[in-house]
Amino acid sequence: KAHPSKVPVHRISSTFRISVISDEIAQDFGRACEVAAREFGMEWVELRDLWNKNVLNLDSNEVAEARRILQKYGLRVTDIASPLFKVDWPGAPQSKYSQRDEFKAAFSFKQQDEVLERALQAAAVFETDRVRCFDFWRIQDQKPYRAAINDRLREAAEKAGRKGIILLLENEGSCNTSTGAEAAKVLEAVKSPHLMLNWDPANAAACGEKPYPDGYEALPKERIGHCHCKDTVKRGKKYEWEAMGRGIVDWVGQFQALKRDGYRYAVSLETHWDGGGTPEQSSRKSWSGMRNILRKAEAL
């Protein structure tokens, strides 16, 4: 009987770049890539944590090893999922979202220029033209700070643009841009061609927006540069993550709309849901749901 990793795999073909955030499968980067390529049939991965380290904290040996693994499994990198601007905005009142060390990334506001530099270097090393960012922990009333936050995004995007890299602002409930409606306003204010949106419909849904069609309709389609795929469900008053296709997001409609509107970048599985056992098992189940949805949407 052939060893599972030696079994030739059928690579999936899609109008999108079908991807997964590697650490949602496993912190062991080799194992994550093996599953993504050999089992899921993917040609793309998104980098956030590898071997329990944030991608921006890898040393040169680890970077070389990660590149070797990517080459071994014939994988390319969609983007660097950096923690850029996932910090408090200085001078603003602290909120319940303030100061959390997420995904092995404890960087301060003062370090954000360095975070941006490292993220741009990582993008160059891993041969991608995209870096994910946020727009600071959510402030209860962001109006007094919004123009300055937008200036900071614009300035970072221009820096990235000089290196041929696009910043992807993610809509995220704990940050100042949480929904499609809020993202549309920021993109309108920050007209830089080097700032695009990392559209996360489930994050928008968990903030009470109907991401498709409502949130999506508000967005300038030509400025969506990445898409995170997970699902969510409301239990009582709380939203909880769910496997793809088992939550409230109309993913079939969303994928059909992205395809119709000419979107050709990544749709990246960000499992988050942990109801399937280990992260690997949960990702396997969520990927199975995502694959079925892509088929229904005629995007696979």
Side-chain angles (χ1 to χ4, degrees):
K1 195 177 170 188
H3 183 272
S5 69
K6 300 284 191 290
V7 176
V9 78
H10 173 65
R11 286 290 174 108
I12 47 185
S13 167
S14 171
T15 41
F16 307 132
R17 298 171 178 179
I18 313 277
S19 165
V20 61
I21 301 179
S22 71
D23 61 88
E24 293 279 352
I25 298 173
Q27 285 291 341
D28 176 342
F29 188 59
R31 177 60 187 162
C33 288
E34 180 180 20
V35 172
R38 298 264 164 90
E39 193 183 317
F40 295 177
M42 294 176 177
E43 293 180 39
W44 297 86
V45 284
E46 180 170 355
L47 304 186
R48 185 176 62 196
D49 292 356
L50 297 77
W51 304 296
N52 289 303
K53 283 175 94 165
N54 187 275
V55 62
L56 303 191
N57 289 334
L58 299 179
D59 64 34
S60 56
N61 291 338
E62 290 162 332
V63 167
E65 176 64 3
R67 289 189 53 178
R68 188 192 66 74
I69 289 166
L70 289 165
Q71 198 171 2
K72 175 182 175 180
Y73 291 109
L75 289 163
R76 294 162 68 191
V77 174
T78 56
D79 67 307
I80 302 298
S82 90
L84 180 64
F85 300 148
K86 213 171 198 186
V87 290
D88 281 311
W89 182 255
Q94 294 236 330
S95 76
K96 63 179 181 181
Y97 301 109
S98 295
Q99 298 297 2
R100 290 186 318 201
D101 170 16
E102 286 207 332
F103 302 111
K104 325 278 181 295
F107 297 104
S108 68
F109 179 81
K110 288 191 175 79
Q111 288 174 293
Q112 294 308 298
D113 285 340
E114 184 196 339
V115 171
L116 176 59
E117 280 311 310
R118 285 202 217 173
L120 297 178
Q121 283 166 8
V125 167
F126 287 109
E127 297 174 33
T128 176
D129 65 348
R130 271 145 227 263
V131 164
R132 186 267 304 268
C133 72
F134 300 92
D135 63 346
F136 305 93
W137 292 130
R138 196 164 182 89
I139 305 163
Q140 205 161 4
D141 176 18
Q142 55 177 291
K143 282 198 288 297
Y145 311 97
R146 191 66 244 184
I149 289 172
N150 289 344
D151 285 345
R152 192 67 197 261
L153 287 173
R154 190 178 297 107
E155 177 196 322
E158 291 311 309
K159 242 183 217 177
R162 287 196 284 277
K163 300 203 165 163
I165 290 167
I166 289 162
L167 280 192
L168 302 163
L169 173 67
E170 179 167 344
N171 62 291
E172 144 92 77
S174 57
C175 295
N176 286 306
T177 295
S178 64
T179 60
E182 287 183 342
K185 285 183 187 160
V186 176
L187 292 168
E188 176 60 32
V190 186
K191 284 273 203 279
S192 170
H194 313 297
L195 182 75
M196 293 176 86
L197 179 67
N198 176 11
W199 175 226
D200 191 318
N203 280 353
C207 295
E209 182 177 67
K210 192 172 188 177
Y212 182 81
D214 303 4
Y216 181 74
E217 287 305 312
L219 297 172
K221 309 302 177 272
E222 74 287 352
R223 291 188 68 191
I224 301 172
H226 193 75
C227 179
H228 274 169
C229 304
K230 56 182 179 275
D231 221 329
T232 187
V233 68
K234 197 172 188 184
R235 293 196 175 96
K237 289 186 174 172
K238 278 181 72 176
Y239 287 93
E240 292 176 9
W241 302 124
E242 190 45 272
M244 282 288 286
R246 292 184 4 193
I248 57 177
V249 178
D250 175 7
W251 274 109
V252 175
Q254 180 63 88
F255 284 148
Q256 284 172 333
L258 285 166
K259 188 180 165 189
R260 176 196 72 218
D261 294 334
Y263 178 79
R264 295 291 178 267
Y265 305 115
V267 292
S268 193
L269 176 64
E270 184 187 25
T271 312
H272 269 24
W273 170 70
D274 59 8
T278 63
E280 184 176 318
Q281 289 164 333
S282 297
S283 292
R284 192 172 280 125
K285 285 176 183 161
S286 203
W287 164 241
S288 171
M290 180 170 162
R291 192 176 51 214
N292 291 340
I293 296 162
L294 285 162
R295 285 197 183 118
K296 279 185 194 154
E298 298 183 347
L300 204 59

